[in-house]
């Protein structure tokens, strides 16, 4: 299946509802390995179904482990038949994608067991360091060779003879996964003496080590932690299946929804947004993210099996910024880099050195993409500082995601800002959360659009202005964009059938709105746009597909909080297909001709009712028969014939429909 190139996110004013989280990646892959190595059968309900867990499942199967069922099949959760300490497959060539949670622990387990194995991954995996783990294992007699650059996968593992005469030493300041990998695998040695592991350098990401210890305990191995410096695996430890273990929801994935519930508060709609599957008793360090949000001014509620994000604390208009030590929440901290755009003061994320060796160099990636939005950003080896972005400084951007699921998920939150956000390669979320964008869309509240389409002189303009004023929303008279392009073409003497040049004019239209007037190149052209000459030129160029395409972005950019009333010909059918209410306004040609006639006479323009009727019918035909965005009611539009009712009554009808919808 090909992955979509990009996803355009509508601007948001809130997020509310509830989301069941997918299983935790960190827990899922640790449990799969432990269950595979243990004695007995382990059932794992809630196991995550994603690229990273599939990589681990395939590797374990290749090593001869029997696993019944598939993750994601709720009535039949996966059942792992433990190998009791020795894989049946003594030789295998394993492809492990970009899953750090598979490569590191499998390297340790296979090196300790010995055999003939190769471990490979995607090119990025071959840039992610593993030397500290290999050094620790080689020092006790394991046989591991680098097949490429020393210090990095791919690796070849042979039959070594691990000896435990002195403590193992492992560095803890690059990735805590090296220590976790050792702790998960060393019980395989069934040693009759205590096994000591000494950490060198300051241990980072401690909550992930805590998670490892908690899961080992479920398999009967109680590791003693000596102040994060030294760990002891007691003599006689063996991994024994606990039978059945429910996998918690993913706390890192929760961070996007918890943040969304808060950011909605900036538009007056802060949650409540409840995530199901994690709570205060979670063994995952990233639940601390919710506490960090609370310290920054967010309001959270905690219950059994859930956390709910309820916007901001009373009296707060924004999150505070500040200096945040992120060592305990390395993954969820990425979410803070985006919420920082909406804070009241700069946010400095400290202790994030491990970002450099993740799916991508996340400090570099975050820095680059936040800058695209217009933000001021500074960064160093292990820190990132983000300044709040003022409303006027936001820029629409296409966000590159570096094949990093968290980049894609984090930047979905930028859609709370006043800019258009495009997420490139959104499918990269499959690494840990394949359904992310569907779940996000299900709780997101886009800026509402009320689309009013109809033929010429149907009274759309007047109606749209009334409705926009009543709701306090922005107004888009899309015909003005076609008229302004036509005027620009007439001024620059561009032929009205020169599609490429007209499309280029439209794409760079120097249009602005100020206090009810329309400016073109800084000059007030409000009256000129209404002339018959400009009107008929607009009608002619409006048939050109590339020009219409070029005006799309400009029209969509008008969708800003708190809402937009858009009038035109194709607002509900093409420009805003997700508009919450679509009205198709009509009246018979005779009625419309009468209205237009009166309007022209009142402007001192002399004409006859017959001429007006003929012009109007010609324009109707052209608008209805063109090849793109022909005038036609969207399927879900409500028809409204206003021949017999006045403007007030028409507006009241539309507002009544709106109230019923919302
Ligand atoms: O609504 P109006 O008369 O200002 O529009 C001017 C021309 O632009 C009209 O002939 C049709 C075209 N138009 C369009 O094709 N699509 C729109 N959404 C708005 C206007």
């Amino acid at each position: 299946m090909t992955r979509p190139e990009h996803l355009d996110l509508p601007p948001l004013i809130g997020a509310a509802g509830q989301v069941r989280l997918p299983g935790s990646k960190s827990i899922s892959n640790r449990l799969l390995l432990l269950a595979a190595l243990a004695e007995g059968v382990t059932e794992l309900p809630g196991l995550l179904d994603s690229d990273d867990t599939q990589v681990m499942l395939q590797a374990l199967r290749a090593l001869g482990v029997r696993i019944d069922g598939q993750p994601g099949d709720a009535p039949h959760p996966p059942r792992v038949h433990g190998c009791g300490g020795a894989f049946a497959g003594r030789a295998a060539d394993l492809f492990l994608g970009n899953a750090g949670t598979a490569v590191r622990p499998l390297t340790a387990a296979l090196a300790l067991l010995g055999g003939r194995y190769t471990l490979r991954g995607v090119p990025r995996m071959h840039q992610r360091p593993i030397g500290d783990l290999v050094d620790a294992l080689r020092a006790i007699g394991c046989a591991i060779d680098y097949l490429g650059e020393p210090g990095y996968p791919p690796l070849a593992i042979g039959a070594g003879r691990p000896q435990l005469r002195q403590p193992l030493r492992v560095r803890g300041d690059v990735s805590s996964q090296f220590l976790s990998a050792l702790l998960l695998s060393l019980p395989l040695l069934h040693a009759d003496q205590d096994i000591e592991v000494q950490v060198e350098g300051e241990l980072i990401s401690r909550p992930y080590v805590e998670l490892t210890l908690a899961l080992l305990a479920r398999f009967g191995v109680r590791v003693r932690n000596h102040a994060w410096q030294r760990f002891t695996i007691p003599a006689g430890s063996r991994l024994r299946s606990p039978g059945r273990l429910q996998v918690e929801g993913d706390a890192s994935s929760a961070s996007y929804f918890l943040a969304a519930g808060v950011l909605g508060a900036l538009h007056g709609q802060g949650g409540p947004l409840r995530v199901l599957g994690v709570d205060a008793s979670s063994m995952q360090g990233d639940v601390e993210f919710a506490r960090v949000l609370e310290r920054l001014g967010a309001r959270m509620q905690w219950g059994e099996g859930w956390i709910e994000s309820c916007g901001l604390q009373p009296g707060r208009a924004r999150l505070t910024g500040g200096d945040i030590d992120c060592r305990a929440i390395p993954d969820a901290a990425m979410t803070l880099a985006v919420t920082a755009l909406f804070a009241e003061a700069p946010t400095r994320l400290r202790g994030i050195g491990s970002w450099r060796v993740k799916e991508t160099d996340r400090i570099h990636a975050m820095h680059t993409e936040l800058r695209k939005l217009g933000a001021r950003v500074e960064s160093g080896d292990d820190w990132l500082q983000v300044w709040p972005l003022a409303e006027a400084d936001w820029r629409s951007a296409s966000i590159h995601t570096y094949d990093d699921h968290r980049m894609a998920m984090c930047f979905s939150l930028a859609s709370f800002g006043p800019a258009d956000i495009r997420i490139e390669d959104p499918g990269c979320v499959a690494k840990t959360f394949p359904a992310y964008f569907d779940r996000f869309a299900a709780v997101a509240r886009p800026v509402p659009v009320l689309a009013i389409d109809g033929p010429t002189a149907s009274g759309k303009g007047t109606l749209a202005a009334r409705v926009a004023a009543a709701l306090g929303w922005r107004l888009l008279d899309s015909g003005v964009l076609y008229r302004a392009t036509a005027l620009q073409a007439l001024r620059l003497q561009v032929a009205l059938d020169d599609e490429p040049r007209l499309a280029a004019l439209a794409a760079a239209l120097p249009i602005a709105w100020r206090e009810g007037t329309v400016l073109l190149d800084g000059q007030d052209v409000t009256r000129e746009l209404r002339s018959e000459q400009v009107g008929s030129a607009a009608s002619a160029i409006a048939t050109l597909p590339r020009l219409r395409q070029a005006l799309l972005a400009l029209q969509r950019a008008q969708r800003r909080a708190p809402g937009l009333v858009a009038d035109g010909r194709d607002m509900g059918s093409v420009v805003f297909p997700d508009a919450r209410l679509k009205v198709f306004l009509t009246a018979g040609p005779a009625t419309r001709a009468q209205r237009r006639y009166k309007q022209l006479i009142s402007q001192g323009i002399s004409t006859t009712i017959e001429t007006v009727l003929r012009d109007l019918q010609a324009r109707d035909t052209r608008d209805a028969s063109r090849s793109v965005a022909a005038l036609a009611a969207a399927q879900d539009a409500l028809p409204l014939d206003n021949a017999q009712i006045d403007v007030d009554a028409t507006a009241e009808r539309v507002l009544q429909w709106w109230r019923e919808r919302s």
Side-chain angles (χ1 to χ4, degrees):
M1 213 170 58
T2 52
R3 297 213 308 214
E5 273 176 24
H6 56 74
L7 177 69
D8 289 323
L9 296 173
L12 303 182
I13 50 163
Q18 92 184 10
V19 177
R20 177 159 293 285
L21 296 167
S24 153
K25 173 189 71 161
S26 307
I27 295 180
S28 292
N29 269 358
R30 280 171 174 76
L31 282 181
L32 277 173
L33 184 75
L34 287 170
L37 295 172
E39 294 157 22
V41 178
T42 313
E43 194 170 84
L44 297 172
L47 192 80
L48 172 65
D49 185 8
S50 75
D51 288 355
D52 276 10
T53 46
Q54 286 298 341
V55 155
M56 185 63 123
L57 281 164
Q58 273 164 24
L60 293 173
R61 287 191 169 119
L63 292 166
V65 179
R66 177 176 154 201
I67 302 167
D68 303 329
Q70 276 295 334
D73 180 0
H76 310 101
R79 284 167 58 84
V80 182
H81 297 253
C83 69
F87 290 123
R90 308 289 297 168
D93 186 11
L94 304 177
F95 177 77
L96 301 167
N98 197 5
T101 52
V103 170
R104 279 78 182 258
L106 279 171
T107 297
L110 294 172
L112 289 170
L113 292 172
R116 285 205 4 255
Y117 303 106
T118 52
L119 283 72
R120 307 169 194 279
V122 298
R124 171 63 187 169
M125 178 50 80
H126 298 172
Q127 298 169 341
R128 297 176 66 182
I130 197 161
D132 294 337
L133 177 61
V134 171
D135 289 348
L137 290 162
R138 278 177 169 173
I140 59 161
C142 293
I144 309 176
D145 287 317
Y146 295 112
L147 295 173
E149 201 183 325
Y152 301 86
L155 303 174
I157 291 173
R161 288 177 173 277
Q163 306 276 333
L164 291 169
R165 277 188 292 271
Q166 65 262 20
L168 275 88
R169 296 180 177 280
V170 67
R171 271 182 62 186
D173 52 357
V174 173
S175 167
S176 67
Q177 283 186 12
F178 303 147
L179 174 62
S180 279
L182 291 173
L183 295 174
L184 290 167
S185 311
L186 284 166
L188 289 175
L189 296 180
H190 299 165
D192 51 15
Q193 73 209 63
D194 287 358
I195 306 176
E196 300 281 324
V197 182
Q198 183 81 42
V199 179
E200 297 186 329
E202 198 200 338
L203 181 62
I204 60 167
S205 311
R206 290 179 186 180
Y208 284 97
V209 175
E210 230 163 325
L211 181 64
T212 301
L213 300 185
L215 295 175
L216 276 164
R218 306 300 296 271
F219 280 79
V221 174
R222 297 187 186 281
V223 178
R224 292 195 294 273
N225 173 356
H226 309 277
W228 306 101
Q229 293 286 301
R230 199 162 52 82
F231 294 84
T232 308
I233 298 168
S237 289
R238 296 180 82 86
L239 293 169
R240 291 196 177 88
S241 167
R244 183 183 159 93
L245 264 176
Q246 174 72 41
V247 178
E248 288 181 8
D250 193 289
S252 315
S253 300
S255 70
Y256 314 112
F257 297 100
L258 296 175
V262 176
L263 294 181
L266 304 176
H267 302 290
Q269 218 181 321
L273 181 47
R274 182 177 286 197
V275 292
L276 304 172
V278 286
D279 61 21
S281 69
S282 166
M283 50 172 95
Q284 298 167 73
D286 269 355
V287 281
E288 181 63 17
F289 172 82
R291 302 280 183 211
V292 173
L293 279 184
E294 282 177 332
R295 285 201 291 280
L296 295 175
R299 201 157 75 82
M300 298 284 149
Q301 304 240 31
W302 301 73
E304 201 174 314
W306 55 265
I307 307 174
E308 192 167 89
S309 173
C310 309
L312 292 161
Q313 291 156 12
R316 288 224 131 271
R318 293 177 165 272
L319 290 172
T320 62
D323 186 290
I324 304 170
D325 177 352
C326 299
R327 281 173 303 176
I329 51 165
D331 284 339
M334 290 177 74
T335 311
L336 293 173
V338 182
T339 59
L341 298 172
F342 303 92
E344 63 189 14
T347 305
R348 190 179 177 90
L349 306 177
R350 265 190 305 114
I352 54 170
S354 64
W355 283 20
R356 298 257 182 221
V357 294
K358 296 289 181 144
E359 280 78 345
T360 184
D361 176 343
R362 288 176 166 170
I363 294 183
H364 169 77
M366 209 27 111
H367 187 132
T368 309
E369 301 309 309
L370 288 170
R371 290 278 301 272
K372 279 191 193 165
L373 293 170
R376 177 173 167 206
V377 185
E378 288 177 11
S379 59
D381 276 356
D382 63 351
W383 59 272
L384 181 83
Q385 181 152 337
V386 183
W387 276 257
L389 192 47
E391 173 105 10
D393 296 337
W394 276 82
R395 289 200 298 260
S396 294
S398 182
I399 301 297
H400 189 62
T401 48
Y402 306 79
D403 201 17
D404 182 349
H405 55 136
R406 298 209 184 285
M407 285 295 289
M409 295 192 274
C410 280
F411 274 89
S412 62
L413 296 171
S415 51
F416 282 96
D420 294 314
I421 305 297
R422 168 169 286 184
I423 304 288
E424 295 173 11
D425 185 24
C428 68
V429 299
K431 189 169 201 288
T432 53
F433 198 165
Y436 176 74
F437 284 107
D438 293 337
R439 303 268 172 90
F440 188 71
V443 292
R445 301 281 153 94
V447 171
V449 176
L450 201 162
I452 301 179
D453 288 304
T456 195
S458 57
K460 306 178 288 301
T462 317
L463 172 64
R466 289 280 178 109
V467 173
L471 294 170
W473 290 5
R474 285 172 173 244
L475 175 64
L476 167 65
D477 172 358
S478 59
V480 161
L481 301 180
Y482 289 87
R483 287 171 182 268
T485 309
L487 177 58
Q488 190 77 334
L490 294 171
R491 284 180 172 180
L492 300 176
Q493 299 187 338
V494 175
L496 297 183
D497 58 357
D498 185 345
E499 187 166 359
R501 284 194 66 196
L502 289 167
L505 277 190
L509 199 64
I511 193 169
W513 288 265
R514 201 175 56 204
E515 292 157 9
T517 65
V518 185
L519 308 181
L520 193 61
D521 258 338
Q523 187 196 347
D524 184 351
V525 292
T526 319
R527 269 185 69 83
E528 213 175 339
L529 290 180
R530 290 288 138 206
S531 74
E532 277 305 296
Q533 189 200 11
V534 169
S536 70
S539 166
I541 63 171
T543 58
L544 304 172
R546 286 174 62 184
L547 173 128
R548 300 195 72 85
Q549 184 65 31
L551 285 178
L552 265 186
L554 194 49
Q555 295 176 82
R556 290 187 177 145
Q558 308 306 313
R559 182 179 192 169
R560 297 289 173 250
L564 177 72
V565 178
D567 98 61
R569 306 291 195 283
D570 58 348
M571 297 299 100
S573 54
V574 176
V575 183
F576 301 110
D578 66 333
R580 248 201 272 165
L581 175 62
K582 301 176 186 178
V583 176
F584 193 76
L585 196 64
T586 120
T591 313
R592 289 187 284 124
Q594 193 66 39
R595 287 183 191 154
R596 171 59 52 91
Y597 175 72
K598 278 198 200 146
Q599 195 181 26
L600 293 174
I601 295 296
S602 75
Q603 287 169 2
I605 299 171
S606 102
T607 182
T608 66
I609 184 86
E610 290 76 23
T611 318
V612 172
L613 182 60
R614 213 175 329 108
D615 280 358
L616 188 134
Q617 282 172 323
R619 200 174 287 193
D620 276 2
T621 311
R622 191 155 47 190
D623 284 353
S625 62
R626 65 180 174 229
S627 59
V628 279
L631 174 66
Q635 267 190 342
D636 48 349
L638 299 178
L640 179 54
D641 187 327
N642 67 356
Q644 307 298 332
I645 49 176
D646 67 6
V647 176
D648 288 340
T650 315
E652 189 38 48
R653 177 82 54 87
V654 171
L655 287 167
Q656 180 57 31
W657 279 340
W658 173 252
R659 285 190 287 269
E660 288 164 11
R661 286 277 155 112
S662 53

